[in-house]
């Protein structure tokens, strides 16, 4: 019989942004810094040319960047983070003068030691419903020392700067979890020694 772990390890929050005007990206990042703490790393922006899907709403010349945060988040937090992202997109659209479109697209994701998962509001066969209108999309898996794509992985997540960024985020997460477990074991031993 399997044992249910009611307190799984936390994970690393990674946010993907598409944008054209840096001003609106910075407004979004200000919100996330206040909410989730220090930005651990920010990827140098790269051109986003993989689809014309966003052009009608956001225009051409879009850039893509990723950010990760030092503080870890609970695994069950993805629906709330996705809803925050949607609210932030709407709020920033009100400042942009681009009616009715967004000026920033925010895709929240979670880095696990074994995978990278994005949040989405759209259902497809590979997506698992999490509640509150949000689905989890298994975007990449980590095996044999590297990320591997799946048939549905978005091509912009396969670019070298993106994969390198995600690998660093994963390494940071694994090191942080290792440190936490070591500290917990030391604390547990100290408690036993004191008794």
């Amino acid at each position: 019989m399997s044992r249910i772990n009611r307190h799984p390890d936390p994970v690393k929050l990674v946010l993907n942004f598409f944008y054209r005007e840096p001003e609106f990206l910075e407004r979004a990042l200000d919100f996330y810094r206040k909410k989730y703490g220090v930005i651990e790393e920010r990827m140098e922006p790269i051109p986003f040319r993989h689809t014309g899907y966003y052009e009608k709403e956001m225009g051409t010349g879009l850039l893509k960047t990723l950010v990760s945060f030092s503080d870890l988040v609970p695994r069950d937090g993805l629906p709330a983070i996705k809803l925050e992202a949607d609210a932030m997109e709407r709020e920033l659209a009100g400042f942009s003068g681009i009616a009715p479109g967004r000026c920033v697209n925010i895709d929240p994701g979670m880095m696990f030691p074994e995978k990278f998962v994005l949040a989405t509001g759209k259902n497809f066969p590979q997506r698992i419903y999490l509640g509150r209108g949000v689905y989890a999309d298994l975007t990449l898996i980590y095996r044999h020392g590297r990320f591997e794509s799946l048939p549905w992985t978005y091509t912009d997540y396969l670019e070298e700067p993106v994969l390198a960024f995600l690998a660093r985020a994963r390494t940071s997460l694994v090191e942080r979890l290792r440190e936490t477990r070591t500290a917990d074991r030391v604390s547990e031993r100290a408690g036993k020694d004191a008794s």
Side-chain angles (χ1 to χ4, degrees), residues 154-175:
Y154 294 116
T155 55
D156 57 305
Y157 284 91
L158 302 178
E159 289 195 74
E160 185 51 41
V162 174
L163 289 170
F165 178 93
L166 293 174
R168 290 189 301 273
R170 181 192 175 275
T171 298
S172 172
L173 169 66
V174 169
E175 288 172 358

Side-chain angles (χ1 to χ4, degrees), residues 27-62:
R27 286 184 188 222
L29 290 176
D30 285 344
F31 166 80
Y32 285 107
R33 281 186 198 99
K34 289 174 189 159
K35 179 85 180 185
Y36 296 103
V38 175
I39 291 175
E40 182 175 68
E41 187 175 354
R42 183 171 169 177
M43 187 182 83
E44 191 67 32
I46 58 174
F48 178 73
R49 300 188 185 107
H50 295 274
T51 176
Y53 179 82
Y54 298 97
E55 286 183 7
K56 184 175 180 183
E57 182 181 20
M58 299 178 70
T60 59
L62 295 180

Side-chain angles (χ1 to χ4, degrees), residues 113-115 141-149 167 170:
E114 70 281 357
K115 61 186 170 266
I141 58 173
Y142 193 83
R143 288 195 312 182
H144 310 298
R146 66 183 182 88
F147 283 107
E148 295 181 6
S149 64
R170 181 192 175 275

Side-chain angles (χ1 to χ4, degrees), residues 129-141:
Y129 187 65
L130 300 176
R132 301 173 70 187
V134 178
Y135 296 82
D137 181 83
L138 177 59
T139 302
L140 297 163
I141 58 173

